[in-house]
Amino acid sequence: MDFELTADQVELQDAARAVLARECPAAYVRRVAERGEGADELWSTMCGLDWPALAIPTDVGGLGSSWVELAVVVEELGRAAAPGPFLATVTQFVPMVLEAGSPEQRKRWVTPAAAGELTGTVAIDEGAGTWSAGQVRATAAPARDGYRLSGRKRFVLDGGTADEIVVAARLDGELVLVTVPGPYVAARHVPPIDGTTRHADLTLDGVLVERDRLLAAPEPGRALERAMEEAVTAVAVSTVGTCQRILDMVVAYVKQREQFGVPVGSFQAVKHKVVDMYRDVERARALGYFSALCIAEDDPRRALAAAMAKASAGECQQRVVQDGLQLFGGIGYTWEHDLHLL
């Protein structure tokens, strides 16, 4: 595996960063995060650039690029703290339908998602603290011309706004994946920690869906696992982008902030913290792109790689956020400062 970006991938990275700097400045993120405004304009811009279609196969309307190109864009979205339905739609809903759907179902839902005409998400967690298929208790019972759902789902990203939701449930005790129109479910908004995201708890009781909305995978548990490897990798790479932005802000600040007549960045204790932050960001980035490469090549290590990327990104954000706040001093703790958006 080659961990260096190609010239085309670097060009994509530069273009994505330039677009987001123009279309998603901190003031825009702040309006979404603090005032609850939508991000429709930004989503429209992304769709106009075909970002949702990047890693989608050409036979269902995508560009056919690899998952690495998608990771490049996702990292830049994390760097900009970009709000909107991209992660839920492109790295959760689309992989689930691609893994579990029949050719007809893929064209029905993935093709419009690639064009930006449909948003989606997945609903798995039920409060057990895991996205494992083993914790799914929601049910799908045969009903006239379809299935009647029952149960509740928690912490569904964009659960209150997505056009379509892939729901994990049990039919006669066996795991199934069902695509449910978003307006069919009762969604309760969950107050976010991160104001750039929108989560909801869903109530499925009494929801009736047609038979052709049951995804056709013969092994839905395996399909779910593979789709979640993509979702986890996307969150990890996005986290790396956010941590890189914090590191960049910290480095710029400690170079210009003076104490005792010299920049605070010249102090040994400050240098040590910044170096530790840099190390953690680079390690998390390497593991994130290793996972992206494993997905792109369908390497048998993809499950392990996704878990490693998730663990490293979590450790990275913990250090970078904590030390970043400390190195900024009191100003970093204020809502007026852009650091809190990250």
Side-chain angles (χ1 to χ4, degrees), residues 169-203:
R170 295 201 174 274
L171 176 61
D172 297 329
E174 298 297 324
L175 181 73
V176 293
L177 300 169
V178 185
T179 304
V180 181
Y184 282 24
V185 304
R188 182 182 66 84
H189 175 68
V190 177
I193 295 175
D194 175 5
T196 64
T197 63
R198 299 287 182 268
H199 290 82
D201 291 343
L202 307 183
T203 300

mmCIF file of all heavy atoms in Angstrom, residues 169-203:
data_model
loop_
_atom_site.group_PDB
_atom_site.id
_atom_site.type_symbol
_atom_site.label_atom_id
_atom_site.label_comp_id
_atom_site.label_asym_id
_atom_site.label_seq_id
_atom_site.Cartn_x
_atom_site.Cartn_y
_atom_site.Cartn_z
ATOM 1 N N ALA A 169 -33.611 -4.380 12.152
ATOM 2 C CA ALA A 169 -34.704 -4.951 12.937
ATOM 3 C C ALA A 169 -34.615 -6.471 12.874
ATOM 4 O O ALA A 169 -33.711 -7.038 12.239
ATOM 5 C CB ALA A 169 -36.055 -4.461 12.420
ATOM 6 N N ARG A 170 -35.567 -7.134 13.533
ATOM 7 C CA ARG A 170 -35.605 -8.603 13.502
ATOM 8 C C ARG A 170 -36.952 -9.071 12.969
ATOM 9 O O ARG A 170 -37.999 -8.627 13.435
ATOM 10 C CB ARG A 170 -35.343 -9.180 14.889
ATOM 11 C CG ARG A 170 -33.936 -8.872 15.373
ATOM 12 C CD ARG A 170 -33.427 -9.795 16.455
ATOM 13 N NE ARG A 170 -32.022 -9.484 16.736
ATOM 14 C CZ ARG A 170 -30.997 -9.997 16.071
ATOM 15 N NH1 ARG A 170 -31.226 -10.885 15.112
ATOM 16 N NH2 ARG A 170 -29.755 -9.651 16.365
ATOM 17 N N LEU A 171 -36.858 -9.959 11.980
ATOM 18 C CA LEU A 171 -38.034 -10.578 11.369
ATOM 19 C C LEU A 171 -37.994 -12.061 11.711
ATOM 20 O O LEU A 171 -37.074 -12.765 11.288
ATOM 21 C CB LEU A 171 -38.013 -10.363 9.853
ATOM 22 C CG LEU A 171 -39.127 -11.032 9.037
ATOM 23 C CD1 LEU A 171 -40.498 -10.521 9.459
ATOM 24 C CD2 LEU A 171 -38.888 -10.811 7.551
ATOM 25 N N ASP A 172 -38.956 -12.510 12.516
ATOM 26 C CA ASP A 172 -38.956 -13.902 13.007
ATOM 27 C C ASP A 172 -37.638 -14.247 13.683
ATOM 28 O O ASP A 172 -37.092 -15.354 13.531
ATOM 29 C CB ASP A 172 -39.221 -14.876 11.855
ATOM 30 C CG ASP A 172 -40.596 -14.678 11.232
ATOM 31 O OD1 ASP A 172 -41.521 -14.282 11.977
ATOM 32 O OD2 ASP A 172 -40.735 -14.905 10.021
ATOM 33 N N GLY A 173 -37.082 -13.286 14.410
ATOM 34 C CA GLY A 173 -35.850 -13.498 15.153
ATOM 35 C C GLY A 173 -34.570 -13.282 14.381
ATOM 36 O O GLY A 173 -33.488 -13.237 14.971
ATOM 37 N N GLU A 174 -34.656 -13.142 13.051
ATOM 38 C CA GLU A 174 -33.475 -12.965 12.221
ATOM 39 C C GLU A 174 -33.282 -11.490 11.869
ATOM 40 O O GLU A 174 -34.249 -10.767 11.641
ATOM 41 C CB GLU A 174 -33.605 -13.785 10.933
ATOM 42 C CG GLU A 174 -33.714 -15.283 11.159
ATOM 43 C CD GLU A 174 -32.469 -15.864 11.803
ATOM 44 O OE1 GLU A 174 -31.357 -15.389 11.471
ATOM 45 O OE2 GLU A 174 -32.608 -16.777 12.639
ATOM 46 N N LEU A 175 -32.028 -11.075 11.818
ATOM 47 C CA LEU A 175 -31.712 -9.686 11.494
ATOM 48 C C LEU A 175 -32.117 -9.363 10.063
ATOM 49 O O LEU A 175 -31.850 -10.138 9.138
ATOM 50 C CB LEU A 175 -30.218 -9.432 11.675
ATOM 51 C CG LEU A 175 -29.746 -7.994 11.380
ATOM 52 C CD1 LEU A 175 -30.204 -7.051 12.488
ATOM 53 C CD2 LEU A 175 -28.228 -7.944 11.247
ATOM 54 N N VAL A 176 -32.754 -8.209 9.874
ATOM 55 C CA VAL A 176 -33.078 -7.691 8.548
ATOM 56 C C VAL A 176 -32.772 -6.203 8.514
ATOM 57 O O VAL A 176 -32.685 -5.546 9.567
ATOM 58 C CB VAL A 176 -34.564 -7.924 8.166
ATOM 59 C CG1 VAL A 176 -34.857 -9.401 8.003
ATOM 60 C CG2 VAL A 176 -35.493 -7.285 9.196
ATOM 61 N N LEU A 177 -32.596 -5.686 7.318
ATOM 62 C CA LEU A 177 -32.367 -4.260 7.104
ATOM 63 C C LEU A 177 -33.479 -3.737 6.212
ATOM 64 O O LEU A 177 -33.710 -4.269 5.124
ATOM 65 C CB LEU A 177 -31.001 -4.024 6.458
ATOM 66 C CG LEU A 177 -29.794 -4.519 7.276
ATOM 67 C CD1 LEU A 177 -28.522 -4.478 6.439
ATOM 68 C CD2 LEU A 177 -29.640 -3.700 8.545
ATOM 69 N N VAL A 178 -34.161 -2.703 6.687
ATOM 70 C CA VAL A 178 -35.331 -2.174 5.999
ATOM 71 C C VAL A 178 -35.135 -0.683 5.741
ATOM 72 O O VAL A 178 -34.720 0.061 6.634
ATOM 73 C CB VAL A 178 -36.613 -2.381 6.838
ATOM 74 C CG1 VAL A 178 -37.842 -1.943 6.053
ATOM 75 C CG2 VAL A 178 -36.747 -3.827 7.277
ATOM 76 N N THR A 179 -35.419 -0.241 4.525
ATOM 77 C CA THR A 179 -35.341 1.182 4.211
ATOM 78 C C THR A 179 -36.697 1.831 4.463
ATOM 79 O O THR A 179 -37.701 1.437 3.869
ATOM 80 C CB THR A 179 -34.924 1.390 2.747
ATOM 81 O OG1 THR A 179 -33.692 0.717 2.524
ATOM 82 C CG2 THR A 179 -34.728 2.866 2.450
ATOM 83 N N VAL A 180 -36.712 2.813 5.348
ATOM 84 C CA VAL A 180 -37.953 3.447 5.794
ATOM 85 C C VAL A 180 -37.943 4.922 5.390
ATOM 86 O O VAL A 180 -36.950 5.622 5.630
ATOM 87 C CB VAL A 180 -38.107 3.336 7.327
ATOM 88 C CG1 VAL A 180 -39.402 3.980 7.794
ATOM 89 C CG2 VAL A 180 -38.036 1.875 7.757
ATOM 90 N N PRO A 181 -39.003 5.433 4.780
ATOM 91 C CA PRO A 181 -39.064 6.874 4.500
ATOM 92 C C PRO A 181 -38.968 7.680 5.795
ATOM 93 O O PRO A 181 -39.659 7.367 6.778
ATOM 94 C CB PRO A 181 -40.433 7.036 3.835
ATOM 95 C CG PRO A 181 -40.762 5.685 3.288
ATOM 96 C CD PRO A 181 -40.186 4.709 4.264
ATOM 97 N N GLY A 182 -38.132 8.696 5.790
ATOM 98 C CA GLY A 182 -37.947 9.492 6.994
ATOM 99 C C GLY A 182 -39.225 10.036 7.590
ATOM 100 O O GLY A 182 -39.410 9.989 8.813
ATOM 101 N N PRO A 183 -40.160 10.557 6.771
ATOM 102 C CA PRO A 183 -41.386 11.115 7.346
ATOM 103 C C PRO A 183 -42.278 10.091 8.040
ATOM 104 O O PRO A 183 -43.183 10.475 8.779
ATOM 105 C CB PRO A 183 -42.098 11.696 6.102
ATOM 106 C CG PRO A 183 -41.010 11.961 5.124
ATOM 107 C CD PRO A 183 -40.032 10.858 5.333
ATOM 108 N N TYR A 184 -42.037 8.782 7.825
ATOM 109 C CA TYR A 184 -42.881 7.765 8.439
ATOM 110 C C TYR A 184 -42.634 7.616 9.939
ATOM 111 O O TYR A 184 -43.502 7.138 10.665
ATOM 112 C CB TYR A 184 -42.636 6.394 7.790
ATOM 113 C CG TYR A 184 -43.284 6.181 6.453
ATOM 114 C CD1 TYR A 184 -43.631 7.254 5.631
ATOM 115 C CD2 TYR A 184 -43.551 4.891 5.980
ATOM 116 C CE1 TYR A 184 -44.219 7.048 4.387
ATOM 117 C CE2 TYR A 184 -44.135 4.679 4.743
ATOM 118 C CZ TYR A 184 -44.463 5.758 3.953
ATOM 119 O OH TYR A 184 -45.031 5.539 2.729
ATOM 120 N N VAL A 185 -41.438 7.982 10.402
ATOM 121 C CA VAL A 185 -41.074 7.723 11.792
ATOM 122 C C VAL A 185 -41.263 8.977 12.640
ATOM 123 O O VAL A 185 -41.210 10.107 12.138
ATOM 124 C CB VAL A 185 -39.615 7.225 11.905
ATOM 125 C CG1 VAL A 185 -39.405 5.987 11.051
ATOM 126 C CG2 VAL A 185 -38.632 8.312 11.510
ATOM 127 N N ALA A 186 -41.480 8.746 13.935
ATOM 128 C CA ALA A 186 -41.564 9.856 14.891
ATOM 129 C C ALA A 186 -40.168 10.118 15.432
ATOM 130 O O ALA A 186 -39.541 9.224 16.014
ATOM 131 C CB ALA A 186 -42.521 9.500 16.026
ATOM 132 N N ALA A 187 -39.668 11.328 15.216
ATOM 133 C CA ALA A 187 -38.305 11.676 15.610
ATOM 134 C C ALA A 187 -38.316 12.707 16.729
ATOM 135 O O ALA A 187 -39.049 13.699 16.664
ATOM 136 C CB ALA A 187 -37.529 12.226 14.412
ATOM 137 N N ARG A 188 -37.495 12.457 17.745
ATOM 138 C CA ARG A 188 -37.338 13.417 18.837
ATOM 139 C C ARG A 188 -35.907 13.930 18.823
ATOM 140 O O ARG A 188 -34.957 13.159 18.941
ATOM 141 C CB ARG A 188 -37.643 12.762 20.190
ATOM 142 C CG ARG A 188 -37.543 13.733 21.381
ATOM 143 C CD ARG A 188 -37.798 13.018 22.695
ATOM 144 N NE ARG A 188 -36.766 12.046 23.000
ATOM 145 C CZ ARG A 188 -35.599 12.346 23.592
ATOM 146 N NH1 ARG A 188 -35.317 13.607 23.904
ATOM 147 N NH2 ARG A 188 -34.720 11.393 23.841
ATOM 148 N N HIS A 189 -35.761 15.227 18.662
ATOM 149 C CA HIS A 189 -34.436 15.844 18.585
ATOM 150 C C HIS A 189 -33.664 15.623 19.880
ATOM 151 O O HIS A 189 -34.205 15.794 20.984
ATOM 152 C CB HIS A 189 -34.577 17.338 18.306
ATOM 153 C CG HIS A 189 -33.283 18.093 18.334
ATOM 154 N ND1 HIS A 189 -32.292 17.908 17.390
ATOM 155 C CD2 HIS A 189 -32.819 19.026 19.200
ATOM 156 C CE1 HIS A 189 -31.274 18.702 17.681
ATOM 157 N NE2 HIS A 189 -31.569 19.394 18.765
ATOM 158 N N VAL A 190 -32.393 15.250 19.751
ATOM 159 C CA VAL A 190 -31.508 15.079 20.900
ATOM 160 C C VAL A 190 -30.582 16.286 20.976
ATOM 161 O O VAL A 190 -29.845 16.551 20.025
ATOM 162 C CB VAL A 190 -30.674 13.789 20.771
ATOM 163 C CG1 VAL A 190 -29.708 13.660 21.939
ATOM 164 C CG2 VAL A 190 -31.581 12.569 20.702
ATOM 165 N N PRO A 191 -30.617 17.041 22.084
ATOM 166 C CA PRO A 191 -29.719 18.201 22.202
ATOM 167 C C PRO A 191 -28.274 17.767 22.001
ATOM 168 O O PRO A 191 -27.805 16.830 22.667
ATOM 169 C CB PRO A 191 -29.961 18.690 23.637
ATOM 170 C CG PRO A 191 -31.339 18.211 23.964
ATOM 171 C CD PRO A 191 -31.485 16.890 23.272
ATOM 172 N N PRO A 192 -27.561 18.403 21.079
ATOM 173 C CA PRO A 192 -26.225 17.915 20.722
ATOM 174 C C PRO A 192 -25.128 18.466 21.615
ATOM 175 O O PRO A 192 -25.247 19.546 22.198
ATOM 176 C CB PRO A 192 -26.059 18.428 19.296
ATOM 177 C CG PRO A 192 -26.809 19.727 19.312
ATOM 178 C CD PRO A 192 -27.983 19.519 20.241
ATOM 179 N N ILE A 193 -24.041 17.698 21.725
ATOM 180 C CA ILE A 193 -22.801 18.241 22.267
ATOM 181 C C ILE A 193 -22.111 19.061 21.180
ATOM 182 O O ILE A 193 -21.621 20.159 21.420
ATOM 183 C CB ILE A 193 -21.883 17.100 22.759
ATOM 184 C CG1 ILE A 193 -22.533 16.370 23.937
ATOM 185 C CG2 ILE A 193 -20.517 17.652 23.166
ATOM 186 C CD1 ILE A 193 -21.768 15.159 24.399
ATOM 187 N N ASP A 194 -22.096 18.503 19.970
ATOM 188 C CA ASP A 194 -21.537 19.186 18.811
ATOM 189 C C ASP A 194 -22.683 19.833 18.042
ATOM 190 O O ASP A 194 -23.502 19.137 17.437
ATOM 191 C CB ASP A 194 -20.801 18.164 17.942
ATOM 192 C CG ASP A 194 -20.275 18.756 16.640
ATOM 193 O OD1 ASP A 194 -20.399 19.993 16.452
ATOM 194 O OD2 ASP A 194 -19.743 17.999 15.819
ATOM 195 N N GLY A 195 -22.732 21.139 18.049
ATOM 196 C CA GLY A 195 -23.836 21.846 17.417
ATOM 197 C C GLY A 195 -23.879 21.743 15.909
ATOM 198 O O GLY A 195 -24.876 22.111 15.296
ATOM 199 N N THR A 196 -22.802 21.225 15.289
ATOM 200 C CA THR A 196 -22.813 21.081 13.833
ATOM 201 C C THR A 196 -23.481 19.777 13.406
ATOM 202 O O THR A 196 -23.606 19.514 12.205
ATOM 203 C CB THR A 196 -21.388 21.110 13.258
ATOM 204 O OG1 THR A 196 -20.647 19.975 13.731
ATOM 205 C CG2 THR A 196 -20.671 22.382 13.668
ATOM 206 N N THR A 197 -23.872 18.939 14.352
ATOM 207 C CA THR A 197 -24.540 17.678 14.021
ATOM 208 C C THR A 197 -25.975 17.708 14.526
ATOM 209 O O THR A 197 -26.328 18.477 15.422
ATOM 210 C CB THR A 197 -23.824 16.471 14.645
ATOM 211 O OG1 THR A 197 -23.877 16.576 16.079
ATOM 212 C CG2 THR A 197 -22.373 16.417 14.201
ATOM 213 N N ARG A 198 -26.808 16.847 13.956
ATOM 214 C CA ARG A 198 -28.205 16.727 14.359
ATOM 215 C C ARG A 198 -28.518 15.252 14.605
ATOM 216 O O ARG A 198 -28.440 14.431 13.699
ATOM 217 C CB ARG A 198 -29.134 17.274 13.261
ATOM 218 C CG ARG A 198 -28.936 18.748 12.946
ATOM 219 C CD ARG A 198 -29.470 19.641 14.058
ATOM 220 N NE ARG A 198 -29.325 21.053 13.713
ATOM 221 C CZ ARG A 198 -28.267 21.800 14.049
ATOM 222 N NH1 ARG A 198 -27.267 21.257 14.706
ATOM 223 N NH2 ARG A 198 -28.217 23.080 13.701
ATOM 224 N N HIS A 199 -28.828 14.919 15.850
ATOM 225 C CA HIS A 199 -29.189 13.553 16.210
ATOM 226 C C HIS A 199 -30.647 13.503 16.658
ATOM 227 O O HIS A 199 -31.196 14.498 17.131
ATOM 228 C CB HIS A 199 -28.294 13.023 17.335
ATOM 229 C CG HIS A 199 -26.885 12.767 16.916
ATOM 230 N ND1 HIS A 199 -25.939 13.764 16.839
ATOM 231 C CD2 HIS A 199 -26.260 11.626 16.532
ATOM 232 C CE1 HIS A 199 -24.787 13.246 16.442
ATOM 233 N NE2 HIS A 199 -24.958 11.950 16.249
ATOM 234 N N ALA A 200 -31.230 12.312 16.521
ATOM 235 C CA ALA A 200 -32.619 12.136 16.939
ATOM 236 C C ALA A 200 -32.831 10.724 17.447
ATOM 237 O O ALA A 200 -32.158 9.779 17.021
ATOM 238 C CB ALA A 200 -33.567 12.418 15.768
ATOM 239 N N ASP A 201 -33.760 10.587 18.381
ATOM 240 C CA ASP A 201 -34.262 9.279 18.799
ATOM 241 C C ASP A 201 -35.525 9.004 17.997
ATOM 242 O O ASP A 201 -36.396 9.887 17.861
ATOM 243 C CB ASP A 201 -34.579 9.266 20.292
ATOM 244 C CG ASP A 201 -33.325 9.343 21.157
ATOM 245 O OD1 ASP A 201 -32.227 9.092 20.628
ATOM 246 O OD2 ASP A 201 -33.450 9.658 22.361
ATOM 247 N N LEU A 202 -35.648 7.795 17.460
ATOM 248 C CA LEU A 202 -36.758 7.459 16.578
ATOM 249 C C LEU A 202 -37.693 6.438 17.222
ATOM 250 O O LEU A 202 -37.240 5.494 17.867
ATOM 251 C CB LEU A 202 -36.243 6.878 15.255
ATOM 252 C CG LEU A 202 -35.204 7.695 14.488
ATOM 253 C CD1 LEU A 202 -34.880 7.003 13.174
ATOM 254 C CD2 LEU A 202 -35.694 9.116 14.244
ATOM 255 N N THR A 203 -38.983 6.637 17.022
ATOM 256 C CA THR A 203 -39.997 5.673 17.438
ATOM 257 C C THR A 203 -40.588 5.045 16.180
ATOM 258 O O THR A 203 -41.111 5.746 15.307
ATOM 259 C CB THR A 203 -41.102 6.342 18.263
ATOM 260 O OG1 THR A 203 -40.521 6.929 19.438
ATOM 261 C CG2 THR A 203 -42.151 5.327 18.681
#
